[in-house]
Amino acid sequence: PHETIRVGLEERAYDILIGANLLERAGEEIAARMPGARAAIVTDENVAAIHLKALEAGLAKAGIQSTAVVVPAGEQSKSFSVLQTVVDAILAARLERRDVVIALGGGVVGDLSGFAAGIIRRGMDFVQVPTSLLAQVDSSVGGKTGINTAHGKNLVGVFHQPKLVLADTSVLDTLPEREFRAGYAETVKYGLIDRPDFFEWLEANWREVFAGGPARARAIAVACQSKAEVVARDERETGDRALLNLGHTFGHALEATTGYDSARLVHGEGVAIGMALAHRFSARLNLASPDDAVRVEAHLTQVGLPTKLSDIPGELPDAEQLLAYITQDKKVSRGALTFILTRGIGQSFIAKDVPSSEVLTFLRDSL
Ligand code: NAD
Ligand code: ZN
């Protein structure tokens, strides 16, 4: 029993399957869509140790031969040197264009191996088997792939849509609790953008989502659907994709000013604080009721996510440093700031021309 969502446009449309124990079925699902393909599985050390055997067995059951390429775990693997290792290993296995690269891992493995698949032989078939909640609700949908450079994160990459996404909800049982919560923040985001009933559903069902089972699959399915819809709307050039940045302007500033130190803050935690700040800031600008900000904060706190700047351990950046980072951020146009603000839960919108002086006083009062 799994849910299937079909996303993407016409010939490039693909299925996202969401449910328990999908690794076992990976072979038959891939063989049905890519008959005769051989496979290279790209994964990281952590995930390989726990889930690689099950995927290999699932592929072998359908007669699919596979080679595994294991990279170190962590953001540092989104680099030119690791990309080269992956590309070389796939070519050494003599895989051809119609063979398939399978990403088994979190967003790091997905971004890295999707990029490798996108450039080898000008584009090999690609399947995502996301194993972190963040990857299942966010990075495996939308087709963005890439690596980091000394000049910044995600600056080199290609759009390369997968042929299939298998979101196995049971593999999340082995994800460290903190990583699960970080992915949960991105899940809540979709409710706060434009699905107030999803937010309400999460308030009532989050314990079941954390525990696993059908509620978890439901939450992931709604999140994937939401992301796919926003991405599809953006392909028609309305600029709506920016809504996915809810909580991210503040979040990125916090990640940067705390030195990307995961001991202090991981991305999803920055987004949780950022979403709480975006709601409080919207209330302060009299755009939304303060009750909504309180409600958002209460839910994030309830699941164990941070919501305040003071929730970050260690010495905090000051308001000026945060603003300096935000104004260097690409979301600045003509001296005014663009923020994702809200008129209430599930009513986010893109606000252009937010005065930086307002942001500065708000940040000062929040510290
Ligand atoms: P990650 O891939 O580093 O995974 C987090 C940690 O969890 C790693 O240590 C990993 O080994 C471990 N892990 C993953 N699955 C596990 C499992 N089932 N059991 C035990 N351990 C497991 O990080 P992430 O949070 O998944 O992804 C972050 C990356 O995603 C960033 O590089 C970010 O830029 C990227 N991203 C991309 C997009 C996109 O649209 N392409 C969107 C959002 C984020
Ligand atoms: Zn994010």
Side-chain angles (χ1 to χ4, degrees):
H2 61 262
E3 303 205 30
T4 304
I5 301 173
R6 193 149 178 89
V7 302
L9 301 171
E10 323 244 299
E11 336 78 79
R12 281 194 288 110
Y14 58 92
D15 289 330
I16 302 176
L17 273 47
I18 301 150
N21 306 314
L22 283 175
L23 293 188
E24 290 168 19
R25 306 174 35 119
E28 59 187 277
E29 299 294 348
I30 290 171
R33 291 166 179 83
M34 286 152 266
R38 292 175 305 149
I41 303 169
V42 181
T43 186
D44 74 25
E45 285 161 346
N46 295 342
V47 178
I50 319 174
H51 300 294
L52 180 58
K53 285 230 156 53
L55 178 60
E56 286 174 335
L59 294 175
K61 260 200 313 197
I64 300 178
Q65 291 175 24
S66 63
T67 323
V69 186
V70 182
V71 304
E75 190 69 30
Q76 297 73 15
S77 280
K78 281 174 58 174
S79 67
F80 279 108
S81 65
V82 179
L83 176 72
Q84 183 171 2
T85 312
V86 170
V87 168
D88 282 341
I90 292 169
L91 292 173
R94 306 209 169 276
L95 292 202
E96 309 203 352
R97 195 166 183 189
R98 292 288 156 216
D99 292 327
V100 60
V101 175
I102 304 177
L104 174 70
V108 166
V109 162
D111 282 8
L112 171 72
S113 57
F115 186 28
I119 58 176
I120 295 173
R121 300 180 191 279
R122 300 196 177 76
M124 288 184 66
D125 282 353
F126 179 48
V127 169
Q128 292 259 23
V129 185
T131 64
S132 69
L133 181 58
L134 182 137
Q136 295 193 358
V137 300
D138 190 350
S139 60
S140 65
V141 183
K144 284 187 183 173
T145 74
I147 57 173
N148 305 325
T149 79
H151 298 281
K153 284 189 66 178
N154 301 319
L155 290 182
V156 174
V158 294
F159 279 96
H160 189 54
Q161 301 291 341
K163 286 276 182 282
L164 173 69
V165 179
L166 296 172
D168 184 331
T169 53
S170 34
V171 304
L172 301 180
D173 290 340
T174 64
L175 192 66
E177 181 85 13
R178 188 172 173 208
E179 295 289 348
F180 191 92
R181 280 199 297 264
Y184 185 81
E186 301 275 10
T187 310
V188 171
K189 184 183 79 177
Y190 299 105
L192 297 178
I193 291 173
D194 61 359
R195 295 186 184 234
D197 20 344
F198 181 49
F199 181 75
E200 199 175 323
W201 184 88
L202 287 171
E203 287 180 310
N205 295 284
W206 68 272
R207 284 189 180 78
E208 287 75 19
V209 174
F210 275 68
R216 179 184 287 174
R218 190 85 279 273
I220 294 166
V222 173
C224 290
Q225 187 78 53
S226 304
K227 176 153 185 193
E229 279 173 20
V230 174
V231 170
R233 280 209 299 272
D234 201 43
E235 285 184 357
R236 286 177 232 131
E237 306 291 347
T238 60
D240 272 6
R241 198 167 183 152
L243 287 170
L244 295 171
N245 287 328
L246 175 65
H248 282 64
T249 303
F250 289 127
H252 284 148
L254 291 170
E255 280 184 278
T257 51
T258 54
Y260 294 98
D261 176 359
S262 60
R264 297 181 68 192
L265 194 73
V266 297
H267 175 74
E269 293 168 344
V271 171
I273 298 175
M275 292 190 301
L277 289 175
H279 280 75
R280 260 182 264 143
F281 189 38
S282 300
R284 179 178 178 126
L285 297 172
N286 291 318
L287 293 164
S289 154
D291 296 347
D292 286 330
V294 170
R295 196 172 148 197
V296 169
E297 210 168 300
H299 181 55
L300 296 172
T301 305
Q302 183 173 45
V303 307
L305 281 163
T307 60
K308 296 190 213 50
L309 297 172
S310 57
D311 290 338
I312 304 170
E315 203 183 316
L316 288 179
D318 60 30
E320 283 75 13
Q321 284 172 300
L322 284 169
L323 185 70
Y325 181 82
I326 290 169
T327 52
Q328 281 163 35
D329 211 30
K330 59 186 175 225
K331 289 161 211 92
V332 184
S333 67
R334 290 168 280 108
L337 296 172
T338 297
F339 265 89
I340 310 306
L341 296 178
T342 186
R343 300 194 175 85
I345 286 164
Q347 299 178 65
S348 295
F349 67 100
I350 303 166
K352 299 188 167 135
D353 306 325
V354 177
S356 57
S357 56
E358 292 275 4
V359 181
L360 188 64
T361 14
F362 172 69
L363 286 170
R364 279 200 185 120
D365 295 351
S366 304
L367 276 157

